[in-house]
């Protein structure tokens, strides 16, 4: 497995990542599916894939809750990325969304916190101010963008 390092970090992050979506607790045979999904994450970690990407909207937060079962045992191996909904792009909502994700994931810091989608009805400066606050409070390590185009 190839790795890269983030600037000013000793952490090795796998070039491949595992997207954590579609783990629906409403499906038939939920317990079987949950066990299978946890095995997928553990297998990925055993194969040195440590970049896990999820979002607060995946299964209404349940993907983060399920991932917390792994963070409890293998947090030091993980680089966790999560995203917040474009409905939460205001300053106050981003802070609340981050705190909710931290609680669901049962961690004290999100490695990469991403704007999931651009929301042109909310000032990007307001969104960035909230992310800056979270960086200052050490609730997140890095900020990223998802689903943005060049313009």
């Amino acid at each position: 497995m190839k790795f890269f390092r983030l600037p000013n970090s000793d952490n090795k992050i796998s070039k491949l990542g595992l997207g954590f979506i579609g783990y629906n607790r409403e499906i038939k045979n939920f317990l079987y599916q949950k066990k299978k999904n946890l095995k997928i994450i553990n297998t990925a970690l055993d194969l040195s894939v440590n970049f896990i990407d999820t979002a607060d909207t995946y299964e209404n937060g349940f993907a983060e809750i399920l991932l917390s079962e792994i963070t409890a045992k293998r947090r030091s191996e993980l680089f966790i990325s999560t995203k917040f909904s474009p409905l939460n792009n205001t300053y106050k909502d981003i802070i609340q969304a981050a705190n909710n994700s931290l609680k669901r994931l049962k961690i004290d810091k999100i490695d990469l916190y991403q704007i999931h989608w651009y929301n042109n009805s909310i000032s990007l400066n307001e969104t960035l101010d909230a992310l800056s606050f979270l960086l200052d409070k050490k609730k997140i390590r890095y900020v990223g963008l998802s689903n943005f185009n060049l313009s």
Side-chain angles (χ1 to χ4, degrees):
M1 174 62 59
K2 297 213 176 207
F3 295 92
F4 68 93
R5 291 186 195 272
L6 291 171
N8 305 317
S9 173
D10 290 332
N11 293 28
K12 290 182 178 179
I13 302 164
S14 57
K15 288 187 177 182
L16 290 176
L18 177 64
F20 203 61
I21 186 174
Y23 303 107
N24 190 336
R25 61 181 160 177
E26 303 300 325
I27 62 172
K28 200 176 199 181
N29 301 323
F30 165 71
L31 292 176
Y32 168 77
Q33 189 66 37
K34 176 182 173 185
K35 184 177 177 181
K36 183 175 157 186
N37 293 332
L38 291 172
K39 183 174 176 146
I40 289 168
I41 297 171
N42 278 306
T43 300
L45 285 169
D46 292 344
L47 295 170
S48 300
V49 175
N50 66 350
F51 181 88
I52 309 294
D53 178 68
T54 192
D56 64 359
T57 57
Y58 296 171
E59 306 308 333
N60 294 316
F62 186 70
E64 289 179 336
I65 292 168
L66 185 57
L67 183 56
S68 76
E69 293 191 29
I70 303 296
T71 63
K73 298 173 185 139
R74 301 183 76 172
R75 175 60 176 124
S76 64
E77 299 171 63
L78 292 164
F79 185 88
I80 298 174
S81 170
T82 193
K83 301 175 282 296
F84 56 91
S85 163
L87 301 175
N88 295 331
N89 282 15
T90 66
Y91 186 95
K92 178 184 166 196
D93 289 342
I94 291 167
I95 305 303
Q96 186 63 52
N99 286 326
N100 290 342
S101 286
L102 288 165
K103 285 178 192 170
R104 283 190 295 269
L105 289 162
K106 296 181 183 172
I107 58 176
D108 61 353
K109 188 179 292 188
I110 296 166
D111 296 314
L112 175 62
Y113 201 42
Q114 298 183 78
I115 304 170
H116 203 162
W117 295 91
Y118 178 64
N119 182 336
N120 63 4
S121 68
I122 298 168
S123 162
L124 186 57
N125 285 335
E126 180 178 355
T127 300
L128 295 175
D129 285 347
L131 293 169
S132 180
F133 172 83
L134 291 168
L135 284 165
D136 289 344
K137 293 295 180 185
K138 302 197 182 316
K139 292 189 176 211
I140 61 176
R141 293 177 61 203
Y142 300 97
V143 171
L145 307 173
S146 176
N147 302 305
F148 272 59
N149 61 34
L150 189 57
S151 64

